[in-house]
């Protein structure tokens, strides 16, 4: 059956992108009875969780499946190609990540609200965190569940001075180490489609393998979308269009639709529809680095024994949050151990990662041509901020990681540092290492910045409405003015909850700022 034959020609709302936030928005709209809602996804839809069609790597929560169903986005840093893994499948990145449920800091959300975005303070959003927690079947992880490697790292971090806490998601706590809660149930990763789409599949039109080429804009308002099927374009009319294609995909769709910096679009052969300079700007991610270790036979034996006894051996389980020496509020560093067995490489691996959570460097997403097949230019401009803030945070984090690794319990198990190696010490050597070794934390954000119309860089308002286009919304991490202080899995689901709420209810009068 052709694409045109299997899709309706008109709906009330079309949600583009069935990733973390898109599944939330579509599910909430369908549950709320807000007209006919269609969810379009460029990748496959494997059906409900119990369909028997889901690939094992997308279900097995013990390992992140970041290479599965990948979009193939890349960039460069330090002369190396960086792969920005994003999942092209219903459920999006929530179907391949580590399932870490991390809220961040109160300052993250209160900062959004203070920048002219009412309804986004921590106090406003906490009920939505609770809703997403329930819908995604989040559970807390006990100390008894930790692998020997994760337990040893947790103990070493505590010995190094970061306090053990019960709740990693206390928004007012600026330092602590704990197992992170997870949206994992019985070893299965509960992606956002399982949590939000499955309960309403009888009321929601879900179309996988249906890439959207552009938004249709007529008379200053969104009129629907154009989807590609081979050489043919099919149009789907809609009263509302919600883009949830992520920090790379959503700005790309706007740009291909003629919404963005008019001069740049015209030069690429895209007819400008609205000159909106902020589209694709303000892109940022949390730079991080990894310190690798040789490991010991004792550690491998302990891990194998744990696997045999429990049948469960995840690579990641604990995170430490703490402020750097010059942090002015909240916290700005994560320290996270990762270790396990790689089937692909047939070897064990162990590293301690550290991430700068509040980066100042800003980059962009740009087109190279007018078509969906033209490669995107994704440049986060890591470690480029003029004051050297991001670089200094990572350098300090490297020293803290090495201190933790020297705590007696962990030093015995980890053995020799293999990368960068003990030879990389001192300011100059560490600076040279950072020039080519920084990696990313898989948390891109900000490329369709939320802010009032008076902000020249803003793309959407506090209800997710694109400035200057009626009926067009964005709901994903691209609208974050600044990335949250931690993993973006749960905050992105909350963005979906918040935008769905605004679509289902009349605008509220928000007065909370704390």
């Amino acid at each position: 059956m052709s694409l045109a034959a299997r899709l309706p020609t008109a709906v009330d709302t079309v949600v583009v992108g069935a990733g973390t936030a898109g599944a939330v928005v579509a599910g909430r709209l369908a549950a709320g009875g807000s007209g006919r809602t269609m969810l379009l996804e460029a990748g496959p839809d494997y059906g409900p969780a119990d369909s028997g069609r889901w690939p094992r790597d997308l279900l097995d929560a013990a390992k992140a499946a970041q290479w599965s169903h990948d979009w193939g986005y890349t960039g460069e840093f330090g002369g190396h190609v960086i792969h920005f893994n994003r999942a092209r499948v219903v459920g999006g990145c929530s179907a391949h990540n580590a399932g870490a449920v991390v809220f961040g800091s109160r300052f993250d959300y209160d900062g959004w609200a203070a920048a002219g975005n009412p309804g986004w303070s921590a106090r406003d959003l906490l009920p939505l965190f609770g809703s997403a927690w329930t819908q995604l079947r989040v559970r807390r992880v006990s100390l008894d569940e930790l692998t020997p490697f994760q337990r040893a790292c947790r103990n070493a971090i505590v010995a190094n001075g970061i306090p053990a806490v019960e709740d990693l998601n206390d928004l007012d706590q600026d330092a602590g180490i704990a197992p992170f809660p997870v949206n994992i149930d019985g070893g299965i990763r509960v992606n956002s489609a399982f949590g939000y789409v499955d309960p309403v599949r009888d009321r929601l039109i879900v179309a996988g393998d249906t890439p959207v080429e552009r938004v249709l804009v007529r008379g200053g308002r969104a009129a629907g979308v154009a989807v590609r099927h081979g050489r043919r374009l099919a149009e789907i009319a809609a009263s509302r269009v919600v883009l949830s294609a992520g920090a790379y995909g959503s700005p790309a769709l706007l740009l291909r639709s003629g919404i963005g910096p008019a001069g740049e679009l015209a030069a690429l052969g895209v007819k400008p529809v609205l000159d909106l300079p902020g589209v694709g700007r303000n892109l940022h991610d949390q730079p991080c680095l990894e310190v690798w270790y040789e490991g010991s036979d004792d550690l491998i034996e302990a891990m194998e024994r744990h696997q045999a006894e429990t049948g469960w051996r995840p690579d990641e389980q604990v995170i430490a949050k703490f402020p750097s020496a010059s942090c002015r509020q909240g916290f700005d560093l994560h320290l996270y151990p990762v270790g396990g067995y790689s089937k692909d490489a047939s070897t064990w691996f162990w590293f301690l990662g550290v991430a700068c959570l509040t980066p100042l460097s800003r980059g962009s997403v740009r087109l190279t041509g007018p078509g969906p097949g033209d490669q995107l230019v994704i440049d986060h401009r890591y470690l480029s901020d003029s004051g050297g803030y991001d670089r200094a945070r990572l350098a300090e984090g490297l020293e803290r990681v090495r201190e933790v690794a020297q705590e007696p319990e962990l030093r015995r198990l980890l053995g020799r540092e293999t990368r960068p190696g003990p030879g990389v010490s001192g300011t100059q050597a560490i600076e040279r290492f950072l020039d080519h070794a920084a990696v990313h934390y898989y948390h891109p954000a900000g490329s369709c910045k939320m802010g009032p119309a008076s902000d020249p860089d803003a793309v959407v308002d506090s209800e997710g409405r694109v400035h200057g286009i009626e009926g067009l919304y964005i709901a994903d991490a691209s609208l974050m003015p600044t990335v949250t202080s931690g993993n973006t899995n749960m905050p992105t689901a909350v963005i979906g909850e918040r935008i769905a709420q605004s679509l289902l209810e009349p605008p509220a009068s928000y007065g909370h700022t704390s």
Side-chain angles (χ1 to χ4, degrees):
M1 184 181 294
S2 70
L3 180 76
R6 68 183 172 87
L7 293 180
T9 57
V11 293
D12 294 286
T13 302
V14 61
V15 180
V16 180
T20 302
V24 175
V25 173
R28 287 303 192 199
L29 292 184
S34 183
R36 291 183 85 200
T37 300
M38 176 187 292
L39 179 60
L40 301 178
E41 167 58 40
D45 172 27
Y46 291 112
D50 60 1
S51 67
R53 295 191 286 117
W54 278 83
R56 181 60 192 168
D57 62 340
L58 294 182
L59 297 176
D60 181 6
K63 294 183 179 297
Q66 66 264 34
W67 292 101
S68 184
H69 299 69
D70 189 38
W71 272 92
Y73 296 131
T74 61
E76 291 187 6
F77 177 78
H80 301 284
V81 173
I82 297 180
H83 294 274
F84 299 123
N85 304 103
R86 301 280 96 187
R88 183 176 173 133
V89 64
V90 167
C93 293
S94 69
H96 79 183
N97 62 21
V101 173
V102 178
F103 290 7
S105 168
R106 180 176 300 277
F107 293 111
D108 299 333
Y109 309 102
D110 289 356
W112 295 357
N117 298 296
W120 290 90
S121 72
R123 184 177 175 184
D124 290 315
L125 295 180
L126 274 176
L128 301 183
F129 275 97
S131 297
W133 184 288
T134 299
Q135 208 73 16
L136 294 173
R137 305 202 295 274
V138 178
R139 70 175 188 87
R140 300 187 185 280
V141 175
S142 70
L143 295 179
D144 292 340
E145 297 178 65
L146 298 183
T147 69
F149 173 63
Q150 295 288 326
R151 185 179 301 111
C153 289
R154 180 258 184 196
N155 293 344
I157 290 168
V158 172
N160 186 250
I162 297 176
V165 297
E166 291 188 7
D167 182 8
L168 189 68
N169 289 322
D170 182 335
L171 292 175
D172 298 305
Q173 210 163 45
D174 295 335
I177 169 78
F180 52 78
V182 293
N183 50 298
I184 296 171
D185 187 359
I188 301 298
R189 186 183 291 107
V190 182
N191 68 54
S192 60
F194 295 170
Y196 287 88
V197 173
D198 284 4
V200 294
R201 278 186 178 267
D202 59 333
R203 286 165 279 169
L204 177 66
I205 304 164
V206 183
D209 297 314
T210 308
V212 172
E213 185 162 307
R214 55 187 164 82
V215 178
L216 305 173
V217 180
R218 294 173 182 139
R221 69 170 294 114
V225 296
V227 297
R228 173 67 63 179
H229 182 59
R231 296 185 178 183
R232 298 181 57 194
L233 272 180
E235 293 190 357
I236 301 170
S239 301
R240 298 185 300 200
V241 176
V242 183
L243 302 184
S244 296
Y248 307 137
S250 285
L253 278 167
L254 288 180
L255 294 169
R256 289 204 303 269
S257 305
I259 303 167
E264 294 181 18
L265 293 176
L268 290 169
V270 178
K271 181 181 178 181
V273 170
L274 175 68
D275 185 14
L276 197 58
V279 176
R281 304 302 190 255
N282 191 49
L283 176 70
H284 54 291
D285 187 11
Q286 295 156 331
C288 55
L289 59 83
E290 299 165 352
V291 184
W292 289 70
Y293 294 89
E294 190 173 56
S296 65
D297 291 341
D298 287 347
L299 179 55
I300 293 172
E301 289 173 8
M303 292 289 281
E304 289 178 336
R305 188 164 55 250
H306 178 84
Q307 169 78 37
E309 293 172 353
T310 67
W312 177 240
R313 193 179 63 203
D315 295 341
E316 304 176 58
Q317 288 182 298
V318 302
I319 291 176
K321 60 180 182 180
F322 59 101
S324 67
S326 57
C327 182
R328 294 188 295 274
Q329 64 177 19
F331 54 92
D332 54 1
L333 290 169
H334 262 185
L335 195 162
Y336 55 99
V338 182
Y341 184 77
S342 170
K343 291 182 180 178
D344 293 338
S346 299
T347 186
W348 291 85
F349 63 95
W350 321 99
F351 70 82
L352 301 180
V354 63
C356 170
L357 303 177
T358 55
L360 298 184
S361 301
R362 293 295 185 269
S364 62
V365 177
R366 303 190 306 277
L367 302 182
T368 59
D374 294 314
Q375 185 176 3
L376 297 180
V377 177
I378 300 172
D379 183 7
H380 287 271
R381 301 190 69 239
Y382 292 114
L383 309 187
S384 66
D385 62 293
S386 60
Y389 170 90
D390 300 354
R391 181 179 291 270
R393 298 294 80 70
L394 286 187
E396 181 177 335
L398 172 60
E399 297 295 348
R400 191 64 178 265
V401 163
R402 284 173 161 170
E403 289 179 12
V404 168
Q406 287 304 307
E407 294 294 337
E409 178 181 355
L410 196 54
R411 183 176 69 242
R412 178 182 63 81
L413 291 174
L414 279 185
R416 185 173 60 92
E417 178 186 315
T418 59
R419 177 177 167 81
V424 177
S425 62
T427 302
Q428 290 185 340
I430 290 174
E431 286 287 331
R432 288 194 298 270
F433 174 66
L434 291 177
D435 284 339
H436 63 83
V439 293
H440 65 106
Y441 207 15
Y442 297 93
H443 302 149
S447 52
C448 295
K449 179 185 176 184
M450 177 173 62
S454 58
D455 181 348
D457 296 325
V459 175
V460 302
D461 69 7
S462 60
E463 305 302 311
R465 297 174 293 209
V466 174
H467 291 298
I469 302 287
E470 292 291 322
L472 181 57
Y473 300 78
I474 291 179
D476 55 35
S478 71
L479 64 68
M480 293 183 179
T482 54
V483 70
T484 55
S485 301
N487 310 58
T488 51
N489 178 25
M490 177 57 79
T492 301
V494 168
I495 287 172
E497 291 272 10
R498 174 66 178 77
I499 299 302
Q501 183 184 67
S502 71
L503 292 170
L504 287 167
E505 301 173 358
S509 177
Y510 297 101
H512 303 311
T513 57
S514 62

